[in-house]
Amino acid sequence: MSLNSQNSTETENPKNANVQWGGRFAGGPSEIMQAINASISFDKVMWKQDIAGSLAHAAMLAHVGIISKEDEATIRKGLTEIGQEIAAGNFPFSEALEDIHMNIEARLSDRIGEPGKRLHTARSRNDQVATDFRLWVRDAIDGLNQQVAALMRSLARRAEEHAATPMPGFTHLQTAQPVTFGHHLMAYVEMLARDRGRLADTRKRLNECPLGSAALAGTSFPIDRKMTAELLHFDRPTANSLDSVSDRDFALEYLSALSIMAMHLSRMAEEIVIWCSSPFSFIRLSDAFTTGSSIMPQKRNPDAAELVRAKTGRITGSLVSLLTVMKGLPLAYAKDMQEDKEPVFEATDAAALSLAACDGMVRDMTANTAQMRALAGSGYSTATDIADWLVRVLKVPFRTAHHVTGRLVAKAEEKGVGLADLTLQDMQAEEPGITDDIYSVLSVDASIASRTSEGGTAPGNVSAQAQRWLKVLGAEPTAAGQ
Ligand code: ARG
């Protein structure tokens, strides 16, 4: 676009009217108009969905006798060839033709003449774009769903491997109680399972076909909306034509689900960053998932994890962006809604890359089990086990046991030793009923092994959970290479 066109209300080529809708226009749009109006630069990614929608529409038009079978066959052949042309990178995309819908339709008419001009009968770009976009989001959900499953599988495998590896469990990022590394990894499997559930819910609600709603009011042609819905693998046609062309809930639900998932991935990424830092040194990432510093030769930076953490901003931003576009729009379609696509495309790319990076890091990381075990026992992490022993063996009320244990922690702190290093006399000074048996609960392994309550960190629980998920996920169809 040239800068001086900003001052011109007329176009440089007044006869350049749009070939699709330019009938009543004497001139074409200004360059600025064209630049703000065109979406082809980004909506071309929906070409497959647009062709699928048109094929279904044409088949239906022929089935009910609105166009002839011969015209439908010609349209089908034309659209198939256009698909090949686009796939091969030979399609002449034109900004003047605004979007993917008009680019393909104009090309069809160029190639096959009159039958091509019949395709848009009983349809509008409003129901067309609503259909294409639903199909695109549905495909994206299916792709991401596979990726989430792959990540869950990798996590469960690593969790099985580390079902009995102690690590410090934190609350407030303060050492709380020992847990196993496997248990920690399985927590993310649960989060991701809910993310998949949200994507599946979105898909279920999305799966109604708006095609045939036409511009906003429906059509006077005797169309068969059930047929197009079925051909495009929707569960049913949508019920209200106004709602159909103005609804973008499916995209918003999708972005909401992605935002929550991105938040989960960001938390995982943040933990990877912490675990890799030298004061923690819980894990190590290989050269494949780290970068070096240009000045500090010793550095091994977890850039992939940091970028996963950061990409959350784009994904959440996309949700806010589309919510803002949609808020306050009167029914039915308004061109504002063309701004629905980039946030969805951008969030999808960011989510796919983040999932791939997380999967890569989870497979790649090596656990520093000695360091994790050492820190699991530091910070009086088995204090709760003392309190529980007092309750269980001496029948002391828990609140009292908590106070006694608090005094024992203070004593250990004073002497600069761990709880297991306190003498029996030290212990009995606070609670005379304490016996030698209390030492049996003070080790990290004993603490972990005792957490056998449902959902607890005992190694047996953790490997059972990991195996359960591997079985569930293993039974599902997987994407190639996973
Ligand atoms: N490119 C447009 C979009 O994405 C297609 C629908 C245009 N409809 C219209 N009435 N101008 O929203």
Side-chain angles (χ1 to χ4, degrees), residues 21 37-39 42-43 46 98-101 124-126 129 248 333-341:
W21 49 251
N37 200 33
S39 53
F42 51 87
D43 68 16
M46 301 197 303
E98 291 183 26
D99 56 27
I100 188 63
H101 325 292
S124 149
R125 263 191 301 156
N126 297 350
V129 72
R248 293 294 181 273
Y333 177 85
K335 200 60 175 266
D336 306 54
M337 290 163 72
Q338 179 165 282
E339 292 284 311
D340 59 358
K341 289 171 206 68

PDB file of all heavy atoms in Angstrom, residues 21 37-39 42-43 46 98-101 124-126 129 248 333-341, ligand 1:
ATOM      1  N   TRP A  21     -18.828  -9.190  -5.890  1.00  0.00           N
ATOM      2  CA  TRP A  21     -19.985  -8.424  -5.440  1.00  0.00           C
ATOM      3  C   TRP A  21     -20.065  -7.033  -6.058  1.00  0.00           C
ATOM      4  O   TRP A  21     -20.889  -6.214  -5.652  1.00  0.00           O
ATOM      5  CB  TRP A  21     -20.042  -8.313  -3.916  1.00  0.00           C
ATOM      6  CG  TRP A  21     -18.771  -7.889  -3.187  1.00  0.00           C
ATOM      7  CD1 TRP A  21     -17.993  -8.669  -2.403  1.00  0.00           C
ATOM      8  CD2 TRP A  21     -18.172  -6.589  -3.163  1.00  0.00           C
ATOM      9  NE1 TRP A  21     -16.939  -7.956  -1.884  1.00  0.00           N
ATOM     10  CE2 TRP A  21     -17.030  -6.676  -2.340  1.00  0.00           C
ATOM     11  CE3 TRP A  21     -18.471  -5.339  -3.765  1.00  0.00           C
ATOM     12  CZ2 TRP A  21     -16.179  -5.587  -2.099  1.00  0.00           C
ATOM     13  CZ3 TRP A  21     -17.622  -4.255  -3.513  1.00  0.00           C
ATOM     14  CH2 TRP A  21     -16.496  -4.386  -2.697  1.00  0.00           C
ATOM     15  N   ASN A  37      -9.757  -4.519   4.684  1.00  0.00           N
ATOM     16  CA  ASN A  37     -10.874  -5.437   4.428  1.00  0.00           C
ATOM     17  C   ASN A  37     -10.436  -6.876   4.142  1.00  0.00           C
ATOM     18  O   ASN A  37     -11.142  -7.821   4.464  1.00  0.00           O
ATOM     19  CB  ASN A  37     -11.660  -4.900   3.222  1.00  0.00           C
ATOM     20  CG  ASN A  37     -13.062  -5.467   3.156  1.00  0.00           C
ATOM     21  OD1 ASN A  37     -13.663  -5.732   4.187  1.00  0.00           O
ATOM     22  ND2 ASN A  37     -13.575  -5.645   1.960  1.00  0.00           N
ATOM     23  N   ALA A  38      -9.262  -6.998   3.519  1.00  0.00           N
ATOM     24  CA  ALA A  38      -8.860  -8.329   3.045  1.00  0.00           C
ATOM     25  C   ALA A  38      -8.404  -9.208   4.197  1.00  0.00           C
ATOM     26  O   ALA A  38      -7.746  -8.756   5.124  1.00  0.00           O
ATOM     27  CB  ALA A  38      -7.736  -8.184   2.023  1.00  0.00           C
ATOM     28  N   SER A  39      -8.779 -10.468   4.116  1.00  0.00           N
ATOM     29  CA  SER A  39      -8.351 -11.429   5.141  1.00  0.00           C
ATOM     30  C   SER A  39      -7.589 -12.593   4.527  1.00  0.00           C
ATOM     31  O   SER A  39      -7.184 -13.514   5.238  1.00  0.00           O
ATOM     32  CB  SER A  39      -9.572 -11.948   5.910  1.00  0.00           C
ATOM     33  OG  SER A  39     -10.549 -12.457   5.013  1.00  0.00           O
ATOM     34  N   PHE A  42      -4.412 -14.323   5.957  1.00  0.00           N
ATOM     35  CA  PHE A  42      -4.444 -15.307   7.059  1.00  0.00           C
ATOM     36  C   PHE A  42      -5.522 -16.368   6.896  1.00  0.00           C
ATOM     37  O   PHE A  42      -5.341 -17.505   7.307  1.00  0.00           O
ATOM     38  CB  PHE A  42      -4.573 -14.605   8.427  1.00  0.00           C
ATOM     39  CG  PHE A  42      -5.698 -13.601   8.545  1.00  0.00           C
ATOM     40  CD1 PHE A  42      -6.966 -14.014   8.909  1.00  0.00           C
ATOM     41  CD2 PHE A  42      -5.477 -12.253   8.299  1.00  0.00           C
ATOM     42  CE1 PHE A  42      -8.001 -13.096   9.035  1.00  0.00           C
ATOM     43  CE2 PHE A  42      -6.508 -11.328   8.423  1.00  0.00           C
ATOM     44  CZ  PHE A  42      -7.780 -11.745   8.786  1.00  0.00           C
ATOM     45  N   ASP A  43      -6.667 -16.024   6.235  1.00  0.00           N
ATOM     46  CA  ASP A  43      -7.716 -17.061   6.209  1.00  0.00           C
ATOM     47  C   ASP A  43      -7.482 -18.106   5.126  1.00  0.00           C
ATOM     48  O   ASP A  43      -8.249 -19.069   5.011  1.00  0.00           O
ATOM     49  CB  ASP A  43      -9.136 -16.477   6.196  1.00  0.00           C
ATOM     50  CG  ASP A  43      -9.513 -15.749   4.922  1.00  0.00           C
ATOM     51  OD1 ASP A  43      -8.817 -15.920   3.901  1.00  0.00           O
ATOM     52  OD2 ASP A  43     -10.516 -15.003   4.947  1.00  0.00           O
ATOM     53  N   MET A  46      -7.651 -21.825   5.752  1.00  0.00           N
ATOM     54  CA  MET A  46      -8.906 -22.603   5.817  1.00  0.00           C
ATOM     55  C   MET A  46      -9.308 -23.166   4.458  1.00  0.00           C
ATOM     56  O   MET A  46     -10.465 -23.553   4.263  1.00  0.00           O
ATOM     57  CB  MET A  46     -10.055 -21.723   6.355  1.00  0.00           C
ATOM     58  CG  MET A  46      -9.829 -21.140   7.734  1.00  0.00           C
ATOM     59  SD  MET A  46     -11.366 -20.543   8.492  1.00  0.00           S
ATOM     60  CE  MET A  46     -11.935 -19.388   7.266  1.00  0.00           C
ATOM     61  N   GLU A  98     -10.427 -10.442  -1.497  1.00  0.00           N
ATOM     62  CA  GLU A  98     -10.671 -10.382  -0.045  1.00  0.00           C
ATOM     63  C   GLU A  98     -10.294 -11.601   0.767  1.00  0.00           C
ATOM     64  O   GLU A  98      -9.454 -11.536   1.646  1.00  0.00           O
ATOM     65  CB  GLU A  98     -12.159 -10.066   0.254  1.00  0.00           C
ATOM     66  CG  GLU A  98     -12.579  -8.696  -0.120  1.00  0.00           C
ATOM     67  CD  GLU A  98     -14.032  -8.411   0.272  1.00  0.00           C
ATOM     68  OE1 GLU A  98     -14.571  -9.018   1.216  1.00  0.00           O
ATOM     69  OE2 GLU A  98     -14.608  -7.552  -0.386  1.00  0.00           O
ATOM     70  N   ASP A  99     -11.000 -12.691   0.527  1.00  0.00           N
ATOM     71  CA  ASP A  99     -10.827 -13.810   1.466  1.00  0.00           C
ATOM     72  C   ASP A  99     -10.756 -15.141   0.723  1.00  0.00           C
ATOM     73  O   ASP A  99     -10.876 -15.206  -0.501  1.00  0.00           O
ATOM     74  CB  ASP A  99     -11.945 -13.818   2.530  1.00  0.00           C
ATOM     75  CG  ASP A  99     -13.342 -13.855   1.926  1.00  0.00           C
ATOM     76  OD1 ASP A  99     -13.500 -14.365   0.791  1.00  0.00           O
ATOM     77  OD2 ASP A  99     -14.284 -13.371   2.585  1.00  0.00           O
ATOM     78  N   ILE A 100     -10.591 -16.208   1.485  1.00  0.00           N
ATOM     79  CA  ILE A 100     -10.423 -17.533   0.889  1.00  0.00           C
ATOM     80  C   ILE A 100     -11.692 -17.963   0.147  1.00  0.00           C
ATOM     81  O   ILE A 100     -11.625 -18.614  -0.897  1.00  0.00           O
ATOM     82  CB  ILE A 100     -10.007 -18.577   1.968  1.00  0.00           C
ATOM     83  CG1 ILE A 100      -9.647 -19.911   1.339  1.00  0.00           C
ATOM     84  CG2 ILE A 100     -11.090 -18.775   3.033  1.00  0.00           C
ATOM     85  CD1 ILE A 100      -8.470 -19.894   0.416  1.00  0.00           C
ATOM     86  N   HIS A 101     -12.841 -17.530   0.667  1.00  0.00           N
ATOM     87  CA  HIS A 101     -14.107 -17.962   0.049  1.00  0.00           C
ATOM     88  C   HIS A 101     -14.238 -17.416  -1.371  1.00  0.00           C
ATOM     89  O   HIS A 101     -14.547 -18.137  -2.298  1.00  0.00           O
ATOM     90  CB  HIS A 101     -15.301 -17.523   0.907  1.00  0.00           C
ATOM     91  CG  HIS A 101     -15.005 -17.575   2.371  1.00  0.00           C
ATOM     92  ND1 HIS A 101     -14.813 -18.768   3.021  1.00  0.00           N
ATOM     93  CD2 HIS A 101     -14.815 -16.593   3.301  1.00  0.00           C
ATOM     94  CE1 HIS A 101     -14.526 -18.511   4.293  1.00  0.00           C
ATOM     95  NE2 HIS A 101     -14.522 -17.208   4.489  1.00  0.00           N
ATOM     96  N   SER A 124     -24.433 -17.899   1.696  1.00  0.00           N
ATOM     97  CA  SER A 124     -23.827 -16.575   1.823  1.00  0.00           C
ATOM     98  C   SER A 124     -22.443 -16.784   2.393  1.00  0.00           C
ATOM     99  O   SER A 124     -22.149 -17.853   2.956  1.00  0.00           O
ATOM    100  CB  SER A 124     -24.677 -15.726   2.770  1.00  0.00           C
ATOM    101  OG  SER A 124     -23.883 -14.795   3.465  1.00  0.00           O
ATOM    102  N   ARG A 125     -21.591 -15.773   2.275  1.00  0.00           N
ATOM    103  CA  ARG A 125     -20.290 -15.931   2.918  1.00  0.00           C
ATOM    104  C   ARG A 125     -20.444 -16.006   4.436  1.00  0.00           C
ATOM    105  O   ARG A 125     -19.573 -16.507   5.130  1.00  0.00           O
ATOM    106  CB  ARG A 125     -19.371 -14.765   2.550  1.00  0.00           C
ATOM    107  CG  ARG A 125     -18.444 -15.099   1.410  1.00  0.00           C
ATOM    108  CD  ARG A 125     -17.403 -14.038   1.260  1.00  0.00           C
ATOM    109  NE  ARG A 125     -17.993 -12.734   1.006  1.00  0.00           N
ATOM    110  CZ  ARG A 125     -17.394 -11.590   1.278  1.00  0.00           C
ATOM    111  NH1 ARG A 125     -16.189 -11.570   1.823  1.00  0.00           N
ATOM    112  NH2 ARG A 125     -17.984 -10.448   0.999  1.00  0.00           N
ATOM    113  N   ASN A 126     -21.585 -15.484   4.927  1.00  0.00           N
ATOM    114  CA  ASN A 126     -21.763 -15.492   6.389  1.00  0.00           C
ATOM    115  C   ASN A 126     -21.920 -16.910   6.950  1.00  0.00           C
ATOM    116  O   ASN A 126     -21.307 -17.249   7.957  1.00  0.00           O
ATOM    117  CB  ASN A 126     -22.967 -14.628   6.774  1.00  0.00           C
ATOM    118  CG  ASN A 126     -22.752 -13.175   6.401  1.00  0.00           C
ATOM    119  OD1 ASN A 126     -21.637 -12.791   6.035  1.00  0.00           O
ATOM    120  ND2 ASN A 126     -23.802 -12.368   6.479  1.00  0.00           N
ATOM    121  N   VAL A 129     -18.452 -18.833   6.063  1.00  0.00           N
ATOM    122  CA  VAL A 129     -17.298 -18.630   6.953  1.00  0.00           C
ATOM    123  C   VAL A 129     -17.562 -19.273   8.316  1.00  0.00           C
ATOM    124  O   VAL A 129     -16.660 -19.852   8.933  1.00  0.00           O
ATOM    125  CB  VAL A 129     -16.912 -17.138   7.073  1.00  0.00           C
ATOM    126  CG1 VAL A 129     -17.912 -16.339   7.896  1.00  0.00           C
ATOM    127  CG2 VAL A 129     -15.532 -16.989   7.712  1.00  0.00           C
ATOM    128  N   ARG A 248     -19.876 -17.000  17.740  1.00  0.00           N
ATOM    129  CA  ARG A 248     -18.479 -17.432  17.769  1.00  0.00           C
ATOM    130  C   ARG A 248     -18.133 -18.062  19.120  1.00  0.00           C
ATOM    131  O   ARG A 248     -16.980 -18.132  19.509  1.00  0.00           O
ATOM    132  CB  ARG A 248     -17.537 -16.250  17.470  1.00  0.00           C
ATOM    133  CG  ARG A 248     -17.634 -15.703  16.051  1.00  0.00           C
ATOM    134  CD  ARG A 248     -17.152 -16.703  14.995  1.00  0.00           C
ATOM    135  NE  ARG A 248     -17.220 -16.185  13.642  1.00  0.00           N
ATOM    136  CZ  ARG A 248     -18.294 -16.253  12.850  1.00  0.00           C
ATOM    137  NH1 ARG A 248     -19.415 -16.826  13.275  1.00  0.00           N
ATOM    138  NH2 ARG A 248     -18.264 -15.752  11.631  1.00  0.00           N
ATOM    139  N   TYR A 333     -24.415 -10.902  11.478  1.00  0.00           N
ATOM    140  CA  TYR A 333     -22.993 -10.802  11.137  1.00  0.00           C
ATOM    141  C   TYR A 333     -22.543  -9.350  11.073  1.00  0.00           C
ATOM    142  O   TYR A 333     -23.272  -8.469  10.631  1.00  0.00           O
ATOM    143  CB  TYR A 333     -22.733 -11.472   9.781  1.00  0.00           C
ATOM    144  CG  TYR A 333     -21.291 -11.351   9.328  1.00  0.00           C
ATOM    145  CD1 TYR A 333     -20.351 -12.271   9.755  1.00  0.00           C
ATOM    146  CD2 TYR A 333     -20.879 -10.301   8.516  1.00  0.00           C
ATOM    147  CE1 TYR A 333     -19.021 -12.152   9.377  1.00  0.00           C
ATOM    148  CE2 TYR A 333     -19.552 -10.184   8.120  1.00  0.00           C
ATOM    149  CZ  TYR A 333     -18.632 -11.113   8.560  1.00  0.00           C
ATOM    150  OH  TYR A 333     -17.321 -10.996   8.185  1.00  0.00           O
ATOM    151  N   ALA A 334     -21.333  -9.079  11.515  1.00  0.00           N
ATOM    152  CA  ALA A 334     -20.660  -7.798  11.266  1.00  0.00           C
ATOM    153  C   ALA A 334     -19.209  -8.097  10.923  1.00  0.00           C
ATOM    154  O   ALA A 334     -18.669  -9.121  11.340  1.00  0.00           O
ATOM    155  CB  ALA A 334     -20.748  -6.903  12.495  1.00  0.00           C
ATOM    156  N   LYS A 335     -18.616  -7.219  10.157  1.00  0.00           N
ATOM    157  CA  LYS A 335     -17.265  -7.506   9.666  1.00  0.00           C
ATOM    158  C   LYS A 335     -16.251  -7.584  10.797  1.00  0.00           C
ATOM    159  O   LYS A 335     -15.167  -8.156  10.630  1.00  0.00           O
ATOM    160  CB  LYS A 335     -16.844  -6.444   8.632  1.00  0.00           C
ATOM    161  CG  LYS A 335     -15.696  -6.855   7.708  1.00  0.00           C
ATOM    162  CD  LYS A 335     -16.022  -8.098   6.872  1.00  0.00           C
ATOM    163  CE  LYS A 335     -14.967  -8.471   5.871  1.00  0.00           C
ATOM    164  NZ  LYS A 335     -15.165  -7.935   4.535  1.00  0.00           N
ATOM    165  N   ASP A 336     -16.611  -7.013  11.936  1.00  0.00           N
ATOM    166  CA  ASP A 336     -15.754  -7.192  13.124  1.00  0.00           C
ATOM    167  C   ASP A 336     -15.339  -8.653  13.263  1.00  0.00           C
ATOM    168  O   ASP A 336     -14.249  -8.975  13.717  1.00  0.00           O
ATOM    169  CB  ASP A 336     -16.506  -6.839  14.418  1.00  0.00           C
ATOM    170  CG  ASP A 336     -17.131  -5.467  14.415  1.00  0.00           C
ATOM    171  OD1 ASP A 336     -17.892  -5.167  13.481  1.00  0.00           O
ATOM    172  OD2 ASP A 336     -16.859  -4.710  15.371  1.00  0.00           O
ATOM    173  N   MET A 337     -16.296  -9.532  12.899  1.00  0.00           N
ATOM    174  CA  MET A 337     -16.093 -10.955  13.167  1.00  0.00           C
ATOM    175  C   MET A 337     -14.996 -11.571  12.317  1.00  0.00           C
ATOM    176  O   MET A 337     -14.547 -12.687  12.602  1.00  0.00           O
ATOM    177  CB  MET A 337     -17.422 -11.700  12.997  1.00  0.00           C
ATOM    178  CG  MET A 337     -18.383 -11.340  14.129  1.00  0.00           C
ATOM    179  SD  MET A 337     -20.078 -11.747  13.778  1.00  0.00           S
ATOM    180  CE  MET A 337     -20.003 -13.500  13.888  1.00  0.00           C
ATOM    181  N   GLN A 338     -14.554 -10.865  11.301  1.00  0.00           N
ATOM    182  CA  GLN A 338     -13.413 -11.344  10.533  1.00  0.00           C
ATOM    183  C   GLN A 338     -12.153 -11.368  11.410  1.00  0.00           C
ATOM    184  O   GLN A 338     -11.205 -12.087  11.119  1.00  0.00           O
ATOM    185  CB  GLN A 338     -13.207 -10.437   9.314  1.00  0.00           C
ATOM    186  CG  GLN A 338     -12.039 -10.820   8.440  1.00  0.00           C
ATOM    187  CD  GLN A 338     -12.104 -10.134   7.098  1.00  0.00           C
ATOM    188  OE1 GLN A 338     -12.858 -10.534   6.229  1.00  0.00           O
ATOM    189  NE2 GLN A 338     -11.337  -9.069   6.924  1.00  0.00           N
ATOM    190  N   GLU A 339     -12.172 -10.561  12.465  1.00  0.00           N
ATOM    191  CA  GLU A 339     -11.033 -10.513  13.396  1.00  0.00           C
ATOM    192  C   GLU A 339     -11.026 -11.703  14.357  1.00  0.00           C
ATOM    193  O   GLU A 339     -10.284 -11.712  15.335  1.00  0.00           O
ATOM    194  CB  GLU A 339     -11.062  -9.205  14.197  1.00  0.00           C
ATOM    195  CG  GLU A 339     -10.781  -7.964  13.370  1.00  0.00           C
ATOM    196  CD  GLU A 339      -9.308  -7.795  13.021  1.00  0.00           C
ATOM    197  OE1 GLU A 339      -8.477  -7.896  13.927  1.00  0.00           O
ATOM    198  OE2 GLU A 339      -8.998  -7.574  11.836  1.00  0.00           O
ATOM    199  N   ASP A 340     -11.918 -12.663  14.115  1.00  0.00           N
ATOM    200  CA  ASP A 340     -11.957 -13.845  14.987  1.00  0.00           C
ATOM    201  C   ASP A 340     -10.840 -14.831  14.683  1.00  0.00           C
ATOM    202  O   ASP A 340     -10.478 -15.638  15.526  1.00  0.00           O
ATOM    203  CB  ASP A 340     -13.330 -14.569  14.853  1.00  0.00           C
ATOM    204  CG  ASP A 340     -13.624 -15.025  13.418  1.00  0.00           C
ATOM    205  OD1 ASP A 340     -12.813 -14.775  12.510  1.00  0.00           O
ATOM    206  OD2 ASP A 340     -14.697 -15.618  13.202  1.00  0.00           O
ATOM    207  N   LYS A 341     -10.294 -14.750  13.444  1.00  0.00           N
ATOM    208  CA  LYS A 341      -9.447 -15.863  13.012  1.00  0.00           C
ATOM    209  C   LYS A 341      -8.013 -15.803  13.503  1.00  0.00           C
ATOM    210  O   LYS A 341      -7.470 -16.800  14.005  1.00  0.00           O
ATOM    211  CB  LYS A 341      -9.479 -15.968  11.487  1.00  0.00           C
ATOM    212  CG  LYS A 341     -10.830 -16.465  11.030  1.00  0.00           C
ATOM    213  CD  LYS A 341     -11.017 -16.399   9.555  1.00  0.00           C
ATOM    214  CE  LYS A 341     -12.495 -16.293   9.263  1.00  0.00           C
ATOM    215  NZ  LYS A 341     -13.083 -14.980   9.696  1.00  0.00           N
TER     216      LYS A 341
HETATM  217  N1  ARG B   1     -13.910 -12.866   5.279  1.00  0.00           N
HETATM  218  C1  ARG B   1     -15.159 -12.717   5.947  1.00  0.00           C
HETATM  219  C2  ARG B   1     -14.988 -13.111   7.422  1.00  0.00           C
HETATM  220  O1  ARG B   1     -14.062 -13.755   7.717  1.00  0.00           O
HETATM  221  C3  ARG B   1     -16.190 -13.592   5.334  1.00  0.00           C
HETATM  222  C4  ARG B   1     -17.592 -13.177   5.580  1.00  0.00           C
HETATM  223  C5  ARG B   1     -17.903 -11.924   4.862  1.00  0.00           C
HETATM  224  N2  ARG B   1     -19.283 -11.576   4.915  1.00  0.00           N
HETATM  225  C6  ARG B   1     -19.754 -10.375   4.576  1.00  0.00           C
HETATM  226  N3  ARG B   1     -21.003 -10.177   4.704  1.00  0.00           N
HETATM  227  N4  ARG B   1     -18.973  -9.437   4.172  1.00  0.00           N
HETATM  228  O2  ARG B   1     -15.787 -12.760   8.264  1.00  0.00           O
END
